[in-house]
């Protein structure tokens, strides 16, 4: 697909020129601008007011040096980022990613996606994202702690419970959030809900750990149910074996599906009997080892090197939960040829534009990331509410709210798609529904 509207086409060219060598950011912006074509026809004031032009420019980008000392006494220097993308509907909210591939373009694409996702949740949260090119893999707990303390020493100057509330993402889980929170509290001498995904003993919310994966399954189930289908009895392939993947696999199994595969960046496992999640949690959450260790628990399972091969496994439902652009056109075609009926994106932007086109033109039900994986950030917003109230809801209460939110996101995206002439295309629906709330707020605020 290419942009037809002259204004949007020119804006896209400007975004590419102003943000050179940031292909992931260009990809995320292009998809949203394409979805906005039917909106600007009906609502030209979003163009004349400069709202769309402002929306593609982050409000603020913070970039900083993160020096720390490794276990050998050697000084290491990483780079830290926080992109405060849009605060029209609430404080900046979004995760921190620690992965060697992180650079400004990755954080910008993630921050941009977060603006629309957070709007879709219906909760008052703006969009932001941050991270570092630090690789927690292979580092000792003490090295991770020293890195987190140095990272937070700078980040603490820019965040706050009513300003910007970071959380986890790739490479940032319970351990990292604990160290980051500890350092913030020490520097500022205040105990506030400045981060989410916190441990349950110090202000975390029940069900936040499970929320992205569970929410993905609630969304996918709703999308399937609308077409008379269900996860019950379905064969499911999940990529990744981190936070999102593990809890997506858990909820899909609870809903009656058989999850037969998981992966990591080295390779994938296939277990025709259904994945044993207790073994996976032990390997990944406790021992922090590679997914191939699964064979030590189940000798009859298979392990294959290379993560892309996971998409060659025949399945009814595919849940990509690892990273951006992990499903390309070739993998999408294989999934379609093998009879996939639904794809729910747990990771951020896991399908390339060509893969999305393949799914949509083949009438595969397609749940785009900013709608399908919004359960994590939605539950983070519920953690913020609980922190403000100095109160905690039960697991069941949070889970019920999460489910409601995911069903509503599906309904809103689906009805926006229909209203703007793209019925059943949830890419359009999610982008448009997410955009409208932010854009109306920006209009109301004037030129700021
Ligand atoms: N955590 C959350 O609440 C949310 C996360 N997301 C998105 O979900 C995805 C997964 O995040 P999360 O589960 O939290 O992260 P984790 O760090 O817990 O797990 C990431 C998983 O993806 C794999 N992976 C990461 N990078 C690559 C890569 N370049 N190629 C292949 N595999 C890779 C990892 O394998 P390995 O260990 O080998 O690196 C690991 O299995 C990300 O796209 C994230 O942005 C979206 C919404 C909320
Ligand atoms: O919980 C959060 O604030 C962030 C979740 C996140 O990073 C995401 O939705 O991609």
């Amino acid at each position: 697909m290419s942009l037809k509207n002259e204004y949007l086409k020119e804006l896209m060219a400007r975004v590419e020129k102003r943000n050179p060598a940031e292909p992931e950011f260009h990809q995320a912006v292009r998809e949203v601008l394409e979805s906005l074509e039917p909106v600007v026809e009906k609502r030209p004031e979003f163009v004349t007011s400069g709202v769309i032009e402002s929306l593609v420019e982050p409000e603020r980008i913070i970039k900083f040096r993160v020096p720390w000392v490794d276990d050998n006494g050697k000084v290491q220097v990483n780079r830290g980022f926080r992109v405060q993308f849009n605060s029209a509907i609430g404080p900046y909210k979004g995760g921190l990613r620690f992965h060697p591939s992180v650079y400004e373009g990755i954080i910008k694409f993630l921050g941009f996606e977060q603006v629309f996702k957070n709007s879709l949740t219906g909760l008052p949260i703006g969009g932001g994202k941050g991270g570092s090119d630090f690789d927690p893999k292979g580092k000792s707990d003490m090295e991770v702690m020293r890195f987190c303390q140095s990272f937070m020493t700078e980040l603490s100057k820019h965040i706050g419970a009513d300003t910007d509330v970071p959380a986890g993402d790739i490479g940032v889980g319970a351990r990292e959030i604990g160290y980051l929170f500890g350092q913030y509290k020490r520097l500022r001498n205040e105990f506030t809900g400045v981060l989410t995904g916190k441990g349950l003993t110090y202000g975390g919310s029940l069900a936040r750990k499970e929320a992205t994966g569970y929410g993905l399954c609630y969304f996918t189930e709703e999308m399937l149910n609308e077409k008379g289908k269900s996860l019950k009895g379905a064969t499911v392939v999940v990529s990744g074996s981190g936070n999102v993947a593990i809890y997506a696999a858990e909820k899909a199994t609870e809903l009656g599906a058989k999850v037969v595969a998981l992966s990591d960046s080295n390779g994938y496992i296939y277990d025709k009997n259904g994945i044993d999640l207790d073994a996976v949690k032990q390997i990944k959450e406790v021992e922090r080892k590679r997914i191939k260790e699964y064979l030590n628990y189940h000798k009859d399972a298979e392990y294959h090197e290379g993560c892309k091969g996971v998409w060659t496994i025949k399945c009814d439902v595919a849940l990509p939960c690892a990273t951006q652009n992990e499903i390309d056109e070739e993998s999408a075609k294989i999934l379609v040829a093998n009879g996939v009926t639904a794809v729910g994106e747990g990771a951020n932007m896991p399908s390339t534009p060509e893969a999305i086109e393949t799914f949509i033109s083949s009438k595969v039900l397609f749940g785009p990331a900013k709608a399908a994986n919004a359960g994590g950030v939605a539950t983070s917003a519920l953690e913020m509410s609980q922190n403000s109230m100095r109160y905690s809801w039960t697991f069941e209460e949070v889970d019920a709210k999460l489910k409601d939110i995911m069903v509503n996101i599906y309904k809103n995206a689906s009805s926006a798609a229909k209203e703007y002439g793209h019925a059943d295309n949830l890419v359009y629906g999610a982008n448009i529904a997410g955009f409208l709330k932010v854009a109306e707020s920006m209009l109301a605020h004037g030129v700021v």
Side-chain angles (χ1 to χ4, degrees):
M1 253 196 65
S2 60
L3 283 160
K4 291 176 206 71
N5 177 286
E6 278 308 317
Y7 171 80
L8 295 175
K9 208 193 280 183
E10 259 175 46
L11 182 58
M12 188 63 229
R14 231 175 308 148
V15 167
E16 285 171 350
K17 195 163 172 216
R18 231 184 213 181
N19 305 274
E22 295 183 354
E24 299 86 0
F25 181 52
H26 303 167
Q27 182 181 336
V29 172
R30 178 175 290 279
E31 184 201 282
V32 168
L33 295 187
E34 282 172 3
S35 298
L36 293 184
E37 292 204 303
V39 179
V40 299
E41 296 289 313
K42 273 197 193 181
R43 303 283 308 273
E45 68 272 28
F46 290 136
V47 171
T48 50
S49 61
V51 158
I52 300 181
E53 195 174 340
S54 295
L55 198 55
V56 296
E57 186 66 23
E59 286 177 19
R60 194 171 298 106
I61 299 179
I62 300 140
K63 190 167 162 183
F64 49 98
R65 182 174 70 196
V66 191
W68 57 283
V69 181
D70 70 18
D71 286 348
N72 299 318
K74 185 168 182 291
V75 175
Q76 303 280 348
V77 180
N78 285 97
R79 206 170 246 193
F81 304 91
R82 186 71 182 166
V83 174
Q84 298 182 330
F85 219 110
N86 192 295
S87 62
I89 64 169
Y92 309 105
K93 181 87 197 85
L96 298 171
R97 176 176 292 191
F98 293 169
H99 193 272
S101 63
V102 164
Y103 75 106
E104 199 168 311
I106 293 270
I107 301 298
K108 257 149 91 179
F109 115 66
L110 290 163
F112 183 71
E113 292 283 285
Q114 203 79 45
V115 174
F116 303 89
K117 179 194 311 198
N118 293 5
S119 164
L120 283 168
T121 66
L123 300 167
I125 38 177
K129 200 89 185 192
S132 173
D133 56 3
F134 172 75
D135 187 358
K137 243 181 259 160
K139 304 287 190 303
S140 69
D141 284 351
M142 287 301 103
E143 288 179 320
V144 171
M145 184 182 79
R146 288 194 292 273
F147 173 81
C148 288
Q149 290 177 340
S150 179
F151 184 85
M152 182 53 91
T153 299
E154 178 59 33
L155 187 69
S156 65
K157 299 169 190 161
H158 311 283
I159 62 175
D162 294 314
T163 312
D164 183 354
V165 183
D169 188 81
I170 291 178
V172 178
R175 174 183 60 173
E176 290 74 16
I177 293 290
Y179 294 147
L180 291 164
F181 184 81
Q183 181 72 351
Y184 184 88
K185 184 169 70 59
R186 176 193 193 189
L187 290 168
R188 303 291 285 259
N189 195 23
E190 56 182 41
F191 195 111
T192 58
V194 67
L195 291 161
T196 60
K198 298 186 291 299
L200 297 176
T201 54
Y202 63 94
S205 173
L206 286 159
R208 173 61 187 91
K209 180 176 71 175
E210 294 82 358
T212 311
Y214 279 23
L216 171 66
C217 291
Y218 295 144
F219 184 95
T220 305
E221 181 71 344
E222 186 66 20
M223 180 170 78
L224 285 162
N225 287 173
E226 282 295 309
K227 301 292 176 195
K229 299 176 179 167
S230 163
L231 277 166
K232 190 157 189 225
T235 299
V236 176
V237 164
V238 180
S239 66
S241 48
N243 172 263
V244 180
I246 289 175
Y247 293 95
E250 182 167 282
K251 182 52 73 177
T253 308
E254 263 175 53
L255 292 172
K258 181 156 86 169
V259 177
V260 294
L262 284 176
S263 63
D264 63 19
S265 55
N266 293 101
Y268 68 95
I269 49 164
Y270 171 68
D271 187 340
K272 64 178 183 323
N273 302 315
I275 297 285
D276 168 2
L277 284 172
D278 290 336
V280 174
K281 286 181 189 176
Q282 178 64 26
I283 296 163
K284 288 291 174 182
E285 294 185 337
V286 181
E287 296 169 11
R288 299 180 190 276
K289 287 191 173 155
R290 312 312 300 154
I291 198 66
K292 73 173 170 212
E293 300 286 328
Y294 187 84
L295 296 193
N296 295 334
Y297 294 78
H298 294 277
K299 302 247 174 298
D300 51 343
E302 294 172 24
Y303 173 74
H304 300 270
E305 283 291 326
C307 43
K308 204 178 150 188
V310 76
W311 305 122
T312 61
I313 299 170
K314 187 172 166 51
C315 63
D316 303 305
V317 176
L319 302 176
C321 295
T323 194
Q324 63 275 357
N325 292 327
E326 55 168 309
I327 305 187
D328 59 12
E329 185 176 18
E330 186 193 3
S331 297
K333 283 185 170 156
I334 296 171
L335 281 163
V336 170
N338 282 339
V340 75
T341 57
V343 176
E345 294 190 318
N348 283 307
M349 208 169 77
S351 312
T352 64
E354 297 76 21
I356 297 177
E357 189 50 41
T358 303
F359 293 135
I360 292 194
S361 61
S362 310
K363 303 269 179 265
V364 171
L365 301 176
F366 183 74
K370 52 174 86 68
N373 76 25
V377 76
T379 307
S380 277
L382 299 178
E383 183 171 326
M384 289 164 72
S385 306
Q386 293 168 84
N387 291 164
S388 300
M389 289 189 292
R390 304 278 196 267
Y391 186 69
S392 306
W393 291 315
T394 63
F395 188 97
E396 290 69 26
E397 284 173 307
V398 179
D399 190 37
K401 289 181 204 299
L402 167 65
K403 192 168 180 186
D404 261 13
I405 289 168
M406 297 315 295
V407 169
N408 277 329
I409 292 176
Y410 174 80
K411 287 192 179 6
N412 291 339
S414 174
S415 72
K418 199 162 165 197
E419 186 183 339
Y420 285 88
H422 290 270
D424 288 337
N425 186 330
L426 296 175
V427 175
Y428 274 84
N431 287 331
I432 293 171
F435 166 81
L436 286 172
K437 181 177 171 189
V438 177
E440 297 288 8
S441 306
M442 289 172 77
L443 262 186
H445 296 166
V447 181
V448 287

